[in-house]
Amino acid sequence: MTLRKSLGLIGRMVAVVVLVVLAGFPVYWLLTTATHTTAELFGGHVQWLPDVGQFVASFHHAISGVPMLRWLSNSAVIAFGDTALSLVLAILAAYALSRYRFRGKGVFSFALFATQMLPEALLVVPLYSVFLQFGLLDNLGGLILSDAAFSMPVAVWILKSAMDGVPLEIEEAARVDGCPRYAMLPQITLPLIAPSIAAAAVITFFDGWNEYLFANTFITDEKKWPASKGLASFIGEFVTPLNHVMAAAIMFTIPAIVFFLFVQRRIVSGLTAGSVKG
Amino acid sequence: MAVVEVDRPARDVPRKTATARRGGRLAPYLFMGAAALYLILLTGAPLLDGVWLSLTDTQLLNPTGGSFIGGQNYTALFSDADFAHSLLITVLYSAATVVGSLLVGTVCAVAINGAFRGRAVARAILTFPWAVPTVAAVLIFSWIYNKDSGVLNHALRAVGLSGHGWLVEPSWALTAVTLASIWKVFPFVMLVVLAALQSVPDELYEAARVDGADVLNRFRTVAMPFLLPTLRVTALLMTIWSFRRFEIIWLLTQGGPVGSTNALVIGVYRQAFVNSDLGKSAAMGVVGLALSTIVTIIFFYVDRGAARKEAK
């Protein structure tokens, strides 16, 4: 029994190590590549280890060569804007779906789901002409608006099922204790579903941080590019040294990973809140 | 996950809740109004506009000067071999990405479910791909796949295999793009499955262990019934997301070489912004939407049947 158990444990550890190496390698490779000169990278030998001393120089070039910091701050504006807008709309909509029965509920649920089927490429042209009229082209606000249309529905689902998991008795008890109805959602329900709000926030944040397609057509001013668009402009051009491009890519990746690590513990429990119900 | 009850009423909310009684009829509309209005303005209206465009001969350089031509864009599409090919690419890419990411994601979730030293680190690294921005992932993979200096070819040659121009050879490009996509999206499946696994009561595992079931048996008989509903919904989401995934394909290959990765959405974009034919582009987009709708309907049909079977 103990032998069998330890064999099983070893087998599992091997599987975990293999999977972790496969999943982590591209990220490791990004770090490694950023620390080698193009002569080393294209010299015919694989540079397996990062040259730690070169890190600072590569980042220095990434910042001085292109407006990377500017692009990153644009991405941050889009990502936080998308998150804030999506969450406000989604919390209210989720509360309606979770706590009320009303005419049109089915249609509304379906419309939310249908957004996930819409190819963005189909909406680019119609949105372009609308944004043109409202002065939303070359405007980060326009990107927030178009991104939230796709990320808000996902947030609604996550929050709705989390709210379904909050027993009604809790709200009733709060009302008996004199909690006014308008305070119910912010003071009673929301604190109870905090992990799910975190999960929804991460997903919407990534949506905004990744924004590319709309930016590619709506933003012509290079100073207003998000980092995704700025980095994509290096693809297929051979002027910027590869290690500088990779350093810029690292700068774009780190905030997303850090943000994710902050909330990752809550993500699983946030998603769990939805799956254990019923 | 959340999406499970898209088509089902919230079973656990009592019919007449206290809130509903006192809230009046207007309350739910006030709560959902902003979101509904938002969807109408930002997706509903543009979608209708897109459908209208697909019935016109509008060009990019004269976006308001198109005239109504009925279904001509559609008839042109369906007699176009390239379009049929791009539908095939879309189906192949989606099927491979969905199956691959479900498989890898589930295996990862099962592997890291339960306590062991280093679990938190393993879980964090396994979710990195999801957090890495798509454009950064594309830069890394183009470099890994590089024909002359990429690490993949170096490694293959070191063990005596031959290298390939992964992104420039038509016979390999779709495989390369698919593998990069699976790497990018499998953590989502892993997180969702992990969440579902944690809802399996420990006593059930314990009972199966006492009965002498081995690891695979325990997974099949104890965990699977809890996972199936989650996996079905995740499969649907993965499928419709694959149908419309744009960035990773566009930035890796732009649909090339010679159309070998030319999925439907790539065609929609190229038709509009390279060939300047907005009408035809919109028609392709509408066909793509119809495809997703059909898949969704089939899914709900199958899901309902399966759910009924499981309930028996």
Side-chain angles (χ1 to χ4, degrees):
Chain A
M1 186 66 200
T2 24
L3 179 71
R4 228 179 114 187
K5 213 171 177 181
S6 53
L7 273 181
L9 196 69
I10 291 169
R12 180 204 226 163
M13 282 305 104
V14 171
V16 169
V17 168
V18 169
L19 293 167
V20 163
V21 168
L22 285 177
F25 180 76
V27 179
Y28 171 75
W29 210 235
L30 174 66
L31 294 171
T32 307
T33 307
T35 64
H36 291 283
T37 63
T38 40
E40 289 170 330
L41 293 172
F42 293 95
H45 293 285
V46 180
Q47 306 292 332
W48 290 103
L49 296 172
D51 182 355
V52 183
Q54 286 297 312
F55 247 137
V56 178
S58 287
F59 280 111
H60 178 75
H61 281 289
I63 296 173
S64 58
V66 293
M68 195 59 204
L69 293 178
R70 182 67 177 262
W71 292 342
L72 284 172
S73 70
N74 290 339
S75 285
V77 169
I78 298 167
F80 282 115
D82 180 22
T83 308
L85 179 60
S86 297
L87 284 186
V88 169
L89 292 172
I91 285 170
L92 295 173
Y95 196 70
L97 287 176
S98 173
R99 288 295 185 254
Y100 295 91
R101 295 163 60 84
F102 55 92
R103 194 182 286 262
K105 187 171 171 173
V107 176
F108 182 53
S109 305
F110 176 76
L112 286 169
F113 186 77
T115 57
Q116 301 306 301
M117 302 194 271
L118 279 179
E120 287 97 329
L122 174 61
L123 296 195
V124 167
V125 171
L127 280 178
Y128 186 94
S129 42
V130 176
F131 282 11
L132 181 66
Q133 286 167 24
F134 290 93
L136 287 167
L137 295 177
D138 257 337
N139 185 327
L140 295 181
L143 296 179
I144 294 173
L145 285 175
S146 46
D147 280 354
F150 291 92
S151 47
M152 178 265 282
V154 180
V156 175
W157 290 325
I158 294 175
L159 297 176
K160 188 248 176 201
S161 52
M163 288 177 186
D164 284 351
V166 176
L168 276 171
E169 292 79 47
I170 293 182
E171 289 190 5
E172 284 186 36
R175 200 175 41 240
V176 172
D177 288 347
C179 176
R181 216 183 313 145
Y182 61 82
M184 201 70 79
L185 178 61
Q187 287 181 9
I188 307 296
T189 314
L190 287 190
L192 287 171
I193 60 161
S196 297
I197 295 179
V202 177
I203 289 173
T204 50
F205 182 88
F206 283 174
D207 248 30
W209 191 253
N210 266 310
E211 159 55 39
Y212 171 77
L213 178 56
F214 291 118
N216 199 27
T217 30
F218 295 170
I219 309 283
T220 46
D221 182 355
E222 203 181 306
K223 288 199 205 82
K224 288 182 181 159
W225 280 358
S228 55
K229 166 91 173 129
L231 274 178
S233 70
F234 293 127
I235 297 172
E237 67 111 303
F238 300 99
V239 184
T240 317
L242 186 61
N243 53 333
H244 299 172
V245 175
M246 290 297 179
I250 292 173
M251 294 169 67
F252 186 39
T253 304
I254 284 177
I257 288 190
V258 168
F259 185 64
F260 173 77
L261 288 179
F262 256 116
V263 283
Q264 77 144 344
R265 201 169 282 271
R266 291 175 154 222
I267 289 184
V268 174
S269 58
L271 293 172
T272 314
S275 60
V276 292
K277 58 178 291 282
Chain B
M1 200 186 77
V3 204
V4 177
E5 60 269 300
V6 169
D7 68 330
R8 292 170 206 157
R11 295 158 264 149
D12 48 353
V13 177
R15 281 195 164 214
K16 255 190 184 170
T17 67
T19 329
R21 259 191 317 250
R22 284 189 53 191
R25 294 205 172 155
L26 211 57
Y29 297 103
L30 291 176
F31 280 120
M32 62 157 263
L37 190 68
Y38 193 80
L39 282 186
I40 290 170
L41 289 177
L42 268 298
T43 55
L47 173 63
L48 287 180
D49 195 13
V51 174
W52 166 251
L53 268 178
S54 77
L55 302 170
T56 68
D57 60 358
T58 311
Q59 298 294 309
L60 184 64
L61 294 178
N62 185 11
T64 50
S67 50
F68 184 77
I69 57 166
Q72 277 181 38
N73 285 323
Y74 292 94
T75 47
L77 278 184
F78 284 112
S79 55
D80 181 353
D82 284 348
F83 182 68
H85 184 246
S86 82
L87 283 179
L88 178 69
I89 299 288
T90 308
V91 171
L92 287 177
Y93 168 80
S94 301
T97 310
V98 172
V99 171
S101 57
L102 284 179
L103 212 62
V104 179
T106 309
V107 168
C108 286
V110 172
I112 63 167
N113 186 40
F116 59 85
R117 190 180 292 182
R119 177 174 183 264
V121 178
R123 191 174 79 179
I125 294 177
L126 285 174
T127 29
F128 274 177
W130 192 43
V132 171
T134 309
V135 179
V138 165
L139 286 165
I140 306 169
F141 273 94
S142 318
W143 170 231
I144 289 177
Y145 287 144
N146 186 286
K147 190 177 181 187
D148 299 317
S149 308
V151 64
L152 180 57
N153 281 348
H154 272 295
L156 287 175
R157 287 188 197 114
V159 296
L161 296 167
S162 55
H164 291 281
W166 299 100
L167 294 172
V168 291
E169 286 175 29
S171 48
W172 286 108
L174 188 59
T175 309
V177 168
T178 305
L179 287 177
S181 304
I182 292 174
W183 178 83
K184 183 79 188 75
V185 299
F186 87 85
F188 178 81
V189 178
M190 182 186 82
L191 288 176
V192 173
V193 171
L194 202 55
L197 277 177
Q198 292 180 350
S199 68
V200 180
D202 284 340
E203 305 85 65
L204 286 184
Y205 274 122
E206 215 41 64
R209 199 170 298 148
V210 170
D211 288 348
D214 60 19
V215 181
L216 275 181
N217 255 323
R218 282 206 299 270
F219 178 72
R220 206 166 48 85
T221 55
V222 178
M224 228 24 198
F226 281 84
L227 286 188
L228 270 180
T230 307
L231 281 178
R232 277 201 301 271
V233 177
T234 314
L236 172 68
L237 271 181
M238 282 296 169
T239 309
I240 61 178
W241 283 343
S242 296
F243 278 161
R244 55 176 261 244
R245 191 166 298 120
F246 174 81
E247 273 98 341
I248 198 161
I249 307 178
W250 177 255
L251 293 172
L252 277 172
T253 62
Q254 306 230 322
V258 288
S260 59
T261 58
N262 193 30
L264 199 64
V265 280
I266 303 293
V268 174
Y269 191 80
R270 184 188 296 280
Q271 201 61 248
F273 296 102
V274 180
N275 300 349
S276 304
D277 190 340
L278 296 184
K280 205 165 178 187
S281 159
M284 292 171 91
V286 171
V287 173
L289 182 58
L291 205 65
S292 302
T293 312
I294 292 169
V295 169
T296 306
I297 291 171
I298 293 175
F299 165 83
F300 279 130
Y301 191 74
V302 171
D303 186 49
R304 201 161 289 182
R308 208 169 290 152
K309 225 179 187 177
E310 274 157 27
K312 270 178 192 165

